DNA sequence: GCTTGAACCTATAGCGACTATAGAAATTAC
DNA sequence: GTAATTTCTATAGTCGCTATAGGTTCAAGC
């Protein structure tokens, strides 16, 4: 069987939006597929697999650059498993750092919300938490 | 005393970069400060407080739009504490959702790293985790 | 064969929250 | 007076998309 897929079918099968697929192609993450006479893209199973890999990497929080590295490593039959592991474990560290950041934020928000509702507007605990004049802090690793 | 500050001094005192301070001004988050004859910005203590508030909000993961809302609420002497609480607790939910996402990612990365190093390249567990053909997933709330 | 409507195409601009660059002018320290 | 530092403006780039506009192709029904 192994028929080819339109970009819409590929999108449905992978959960990756059509515009995003085209975007990945423009970035060079996905190879330019064969086109119909009219110029529509047609994808193979191999390309579907590659896209799945990209999506999975993204859903694990890897940057597109990291995903690209991973794809290169996988394609290089000489490459050691070690290089892949390294990328993954350095990413794991980043993930853990983000969790730690977020937990601090969670705790502070919880604390100020807990003491609020009991005080007047002038001493709103949440407002105080935000206004608290602390020492300059380095920006956290948080993106948003 | 209450002297004014240059943008560089303000930056050092708050930990907010000079370019970022100017950026906040352009967005209207910080009022345009008085200038010297030569056109250099001079800041007051009130503006320093406002900037601290913004930075604190950002470090708690609030968007600039949310910070702007919070500032408006604080300035409005009529406003109820409740509105502030609502913003904070809805943000807390977002934070918790992000933590949950990241924990799943952490677990998956840990799991694949644990089983790796024991297998040959061909069955690299990390590579498999990434290649795993799963059902289409909705994108997580993660920004980066 | 013809028409309709969905899916597809390209190109460009926008989002958020900055960051980087270039080149000029002001300020401060000696 | 000069040299170093800081500041100024304006513009473009980052990341990972998303949205818009305006046009073309494709598949199905008649």
């Amino acid at each position: 069987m192994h028929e080819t897929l339109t970009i819409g079918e590929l999108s449905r099968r992978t959960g990756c939006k059509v515009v995003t697929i085209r975007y990945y192609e423009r970035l060079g993450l996905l190879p330019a597929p064969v086109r119909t006479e009219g110029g529509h893209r047609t994808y193979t199973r191999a390309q579907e697999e590659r896209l799945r890999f990209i999506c999975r990497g993204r859903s694990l929080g890897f940057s597109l650059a990291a995903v690209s590295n991973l794809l290169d490593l996988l394609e290089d039959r000489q490459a050691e498993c070690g290089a892949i592991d390294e990328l993954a474990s350095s990413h794991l560290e980043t993930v853990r750092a983000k969790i730690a950041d977020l937990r601090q934020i969670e705790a502070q928000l919880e604390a100020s919300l807990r003491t609020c509702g009991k005080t007047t507007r002038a001493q709103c605990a949440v407002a105080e938490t935000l206004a608290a004049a602390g020492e300059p802090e380095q920006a956290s690793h948080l993106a948003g």
Side-chain angles (χ1 to χ4, degrees), chain A:
Chain A
M1 299 280 108
H2 286 292
E3 299 193 358
T4 61
L5 304 164
T6 67
I7 197 168
E9 285 160 354
L10 182 63
S11 171
R12 257 165 268 132
R13 290 171 63 95
T14 60
C16 182
K17 292 186 184 168
V18 168
V19 283
T20 307
I21 298 172
R22 288 198 282 249
Y23 172 67
Y24 289 164
E25 180 184 331
R26 231 177 34 250
L27 294 188
L29 273 172
L30 280 176
V34 169
R35 303 279 186 127
T36 65
E37 285 198 2
H40 288 198
R41 293 169 174 84
T42 58
Y43 293 93
T44 64
R45 299 289 147 162
Q47 284 167 322
E48 181 182 344
E49 280 319 297
R50 196 178 169 93
L51 178 58
R52 267 187 209 287
F53 185 95
I54 296 167
C55 295
R56 189 104 185 96
R58 287 293 301 136
S59 83
L60 286 173
F62 285 93
S63 67
L64 288 179
V67 170
S68 178
N69 281 346
L70 285 166
L71 281 165
D72 287 351
L73 287 171
L74 286 179
E75 249 159 43
D76 180 1
R77 300 268 107 208
Q78 303 306 105
E80 290 291 320
C81 189
I84 296 167
D85 276 29
E86 245 171 69
L87 249 171
S89 46
S90 112
H91 180 57
L92 177 55
E93 267 178 47
T94 310
V95 169
R96 283 180 176 150
K98 275 187 192 169
I99 292 173
D101 269 2
L102 285 167
R103 280 225 265 244
Q104 280 213 1
I105 290 171
E106 185 189 21
Q108 287 182 46
L109 285 172
E110 275 170 352
S112 58
L113 282 167
R114 215 179 298 125
T115 49
C116 213
K118 300 167 193 161
T119 53
T120 66
R121 164 60 215 288
Q123 295 99 34
C124 174
V126 176
E128 262 170 42
T129 298
L130 280 158
E135 279 310 291
E137 290 175 46
Q138 254 341 296
S140 73
H141 324 82
L142 293 171

